[in-house]
């Protein structure tokens, strides 16, 4: 009997020794190799499924991400590698575009083209002011629910919603993916063929759209609007949400009057060789369509406000449809959080895609601003 116990102990010791040797080898050849570790992180869900096939049939993708989360934090070296924001980077609606760097000396702005676009936009703004929203429209608000939560949109729509409380709340517009740009409408612009997805020039990326939205909200509706032009996705794309979180936390601390946080993006559909344009014709103009994105706590991240954010989005969608029903795309309810835990009134607003012209997105700002004001005022 004693010999059997000793033999068991011997094999336990051998097993532990083998595990220690494997860990040393992994530490030496995997955790010390940043490129290899990045590759493991990138394909971690695929590795989980390959090594444990039963998970693929019995577990949904969100649970796999939770398992991935536990795996990353089970080893102390992961903590120093600073990958805590990777889940925020997992976009279900946007491709992994590469940031474009460009030579400042090659920048050639066409002032005549810019003036024509500005005049066209002003005329559209005057026209839109004379349009009365359709109060008799029936709201068939569509959602693209990428979580397992059962969501009754009618319940959110029937909830009374109003942010205004005697003083108009201040608004922060910021851009997690600051360099996102639009399709090249002219050879006079800074883009080169095949590289129209991103640019550092604020005149041609989403910062320009943010400036337009800010201008309209301040001039026509009397809001105080802060606009962050901090670049969060360059020179490295990964970690954009970690960087933008620091930005919005700073603004929130320095300007406690801010209640509404808008992360302004443009969508990206298709691959590098084929881009899909999301637009509609309304009021005699071609406009970029608008998509609202609401994050949740589905990945296990702290997010006490996602239902409030969804209520905000549903009522904003309702008011977009009042002005221009065809401009809306289904509300994207995502498993990721996208920093929207910062406030009960935080949203991602996607205006157009990388297949749209910049001016189409600028014109859509007129409708977005009107709908935002109606939503904030509880109309």
């Amino acid at each position: 009997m004693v010999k059997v116990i000793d033999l068991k102990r011997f094999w336990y010791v051998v097993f532990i020794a083998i595990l220690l040797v494997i860990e040393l080898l992994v530490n030496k050849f995997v955790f010390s190799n940043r490129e290899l570790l990045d590759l493991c992180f990138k394909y971690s869900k695929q590795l989980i499924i390959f090594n444990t096939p039963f998970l693929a049939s019995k577990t949904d993708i969100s649970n796999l991400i939770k398992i991935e989360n536990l795996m990353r934090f089970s080893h102390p070296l992961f903590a120093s590698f600073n990958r805590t924001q990777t889940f925020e980077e997992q976009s279900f609606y946007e491709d992994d575009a590469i940031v474009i760097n460009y030579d400042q000396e090659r920048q050639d702005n066409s002032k005549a083209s810019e003036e024509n676009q500005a005049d066209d936009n002003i005329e559209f703004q005057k026209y839109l002011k004379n349009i009365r929203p359709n109060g008799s429209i029936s709201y068939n608000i569509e959602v693209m629910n990428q979580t397992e939560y059962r969501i009754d949109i009618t319940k959110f729509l029937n909830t009374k919603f109003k942010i205004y409380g005697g003083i108009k709340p201040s608004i922060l517009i910021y851009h997690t993916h600051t360099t996102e740009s639009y399709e090249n409408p002219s050879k006079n612009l800074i883009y080169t063929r095949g590289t129209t997805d991103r640019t550092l020039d604020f005149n041609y990326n989403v910062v320009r759209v943010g400036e337009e939205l800010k201008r309209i909200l301040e001039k026509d509706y009397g809001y105080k609007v802060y606009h962050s032009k901090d670049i969060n996705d360059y020179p490295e794309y990964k970690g954009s949400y970690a960087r933008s979180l620091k930005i919005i936390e700073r603004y929130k601390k320095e300007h406690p009057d801010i209640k509404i946080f808008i992360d302004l993006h443009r969508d990206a559909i298709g691959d590098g060789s084929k881009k899909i344009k999301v637009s509609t014709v309304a009021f005699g103009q071609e406009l970029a369509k608008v998509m609202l994105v609401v994050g949740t706590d589905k990945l296990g991240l702290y997010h006490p406000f996602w239902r409030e954010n969804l209520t905000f989005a549903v009522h904003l969608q309702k008011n977009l449809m009042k002005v221009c029903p065809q401009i809306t795309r289904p509300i994207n309810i995502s498993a990721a959080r996208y920093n929207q835990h910062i406030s009960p009134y935080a949203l991602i607003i996607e205006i157009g895609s990388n297949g749209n012209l910049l001016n189409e997105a600028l014109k859509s700002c007129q409708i977005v601003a009107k709908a935002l004001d109606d939503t904030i005022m509880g109309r």
Side-chain angles (χ1 to χ4, degrees):
M1 186 69 181
V2 175
K3 290 183 180 179
V4 173
I5 294 174
D6 289 341
L7 187 61
K8 284 184 177 180
R9 287 179 179 176
F10 171 76
W11 285 116
Y12 285 151
V13 171
V14 171
F15 179 70
I16 292 171
I18 292 173
L19 288 179
L20 289 174
V21 171
I22 292 173
E23 183 175 11
L24 288 173
L25 291 173
V26 169
N27 286 335
K28 180 176 178 61
F29 296 108
V30 178
F31 293 130
S32 61
N33 188 324
R34 189 180 184 89
E35 292 182 1
L36 183 57
L37 194 55
D38 264 337
L39 194 65
C40 287
F41 281 159
K42 184 175 181 180
Y43 295 103
S44 52
K45 287 187 292 301
Q46 290 86 341
L47 290 171
I48 293 170
I49 294 172
F50 179 79
N51 288 303
T52 52
F54 70 93
L55 288 174
S57 59
K58 296 184 178 180
T59 312
D60 68 4
I61 187 66
S62 60
N63 285 333
L64 285 177
I65 295 174
K66 287 181 181 178
I67 295 170
E68 180 187 23
N69 192 6
L70 292 172
M71 289 179 66
R72 292 185 183 182
F73 287 94
S74 64
H75 197 287
L77 290 180
F78 283 139
S80 62
F81 202 75
N82 191 24
R83 283 292 185 237
T84 58
Q85 285 291 327
T86 304
F87 308 109
E88 298 287 65
E89 302 299 330
Q90 293 181 12
S91 173
F92 294 96
Y93 58 93
E94 184 185 44
D95 61 349
D96 289 332
I98 299 173
V99 177
I100 294 173
N101 199 357
Y102 71 98
D103 187 349
Q104 182 68 34
E105 295 180 358
R106 295 185 61 188
Q107 184 173 336
D108 181 19
N109 297 329
S110 172
K111 292 184 178 180
S113 175
E114 290 177 2
E115 289 173 359
N116 289 337
Q117 288 188 8
D119 291 341
D120 192 21
N121 204 19
I122 290 171
E123 288 301 317
F124 176 63
Q125 183 176 350
K126 291 178 181 177
Y127 178 81
L128 189 63
K129 284 183 177 179
N130 296 322
I131 298 295
R132 291 186 178 181
N134 188 350
S136 62
I137 188 172
S138 59
Y139 303 106
N140 181 21
I141 295 179
E142 297 181 355
V143 299
M144 182 167 52
N145 187 356
Q146 295 173 335
T147 74
E148 289 184 340
Y149 293 132
R150 292 185 177 180
I151 296 172
D152 184 356
I153 292 298
T154 303
K155 182 179 178 180
F156 286 92
L157 184 61
N158 291 335
T159 301
K160 290 185 178 180
F161 185 85
K162 184 178 181 181
I163 303 176
Y164 177 75
I167 300 176
K168 286 195 172 184
S170 296
I171 301 170
L172 173 65
I173 298 173
Y174 68 101
H175 312 277
T176 295
H177 297 151
T178 320
T179 65
E180 290 178 334
S181 60
Y182 294 84
E183 186 55 88
N184 182 2
S186 169
K187 292 181 180 178
N188 292 326
L189 301 184
I190 62 172
Y191 309 111
T192 56
R193 183 179 296 276
T195 58
T196 61
D197 283 346
R198 297 179 183 272
T199 178
L200 294 169
D201 193 317
F202 290 168
N203 293 309
Y204 302 105
N205 60 24
V206 289
V207 174
R208 174 68 182 89
V209 181
E211 276 295 290
E212 181 69 3
L213 184 58
K214 175 181 186 290
R215 180 187 70 81
I216 300 167
L217 286 169
E218 289 185 333
K219 183 179 178 181
D220 295 347
Y221 300 103
Y223 290 93
K224 172 61 180 175
V225 182
Y226 301 90
H227 185 198
S228 168
K229 299 179 183 179
D230 295 89
I231 299 175
N232 299 304
D233 61 346
Y234 182 85
E236 187 178 7
Y237 185 82
K238 287 185 178 180
S240 301
Y241 280 92
R243 289 185 284 275
S244 67
L245 179 58
K246 292 179 181 178
I247 297 298
I248 56 181
E249 285 177 337
R250 187 189 76 211
Y251 270 90
K252 187 175 183 179
K253 182 179 179 180
E254 295 176 355
H255 307 284
D257 53 311
I258 298 175
K259 285 190 176 181
I260 301 167
F261 295 79
I262 297 173
D263 190 0
L264 189 61
H265 293 243
R266 61 101 178 104
D267 203 356
I269 309 172
D271 55 30
S273 61
K274 183 180 180 181
K275 301 179 182 67
I276 298 175
K277 183 177 185 177
V278 287
S279 64
T280 187
V281 176
F283 315 117
Q285 303 283 337
E286 187 166 10
L287 311 173
K289 285 194 171 188
V290 176
M291 180 171 70
L292 309 178
V293 181
V294 180
T296 67
D297 60 0
K298 184 61 180 174
L299 299 184
L301 297 173
Y302 175 75
H303 189 356
F305 298 130
W306 74 264
R307 291 175 180 84
E308 288 85 350
N309 292 159
L310 181 55
T311 305
F312 181 23
V314 167
H315 285 267
L316 178 56
Q317 185 89 331
K318 174 195 74 176
N319 285 310
L320 285 168
M321 294 176 72
K322 276 185 181 179
V323 182
C324 183
Q326 63 268 43
I327 200 174
T328 60
R329 299 171 63 193
I331 297 174
N332 186 316
I333 303 175
S334 175
R337 184 177 63 180
Y338 298 123
N339 292 339
Q340 292 174 11
H341 63 296
I342 196 73
S343 167
Y345 313 116
L347 289 177
I348 286 178
I349 300 181
E350 302 261 4
I351 301 182
S353 74
N354 55 341
N356 285 96
L357 300 181
L358 173 64
N359 202 37
E360 294 165 357
L362 296 177
K363 289 177 183 176
S364 296
C365 289
Q366 306 285 349
I367 297 173
V368 172
K370 168 63 177 169
L372 272 170
D373 179 57
D374 286 344
T375 306
I376 292 166
M377 301 303 292
R379 300 188 185 106

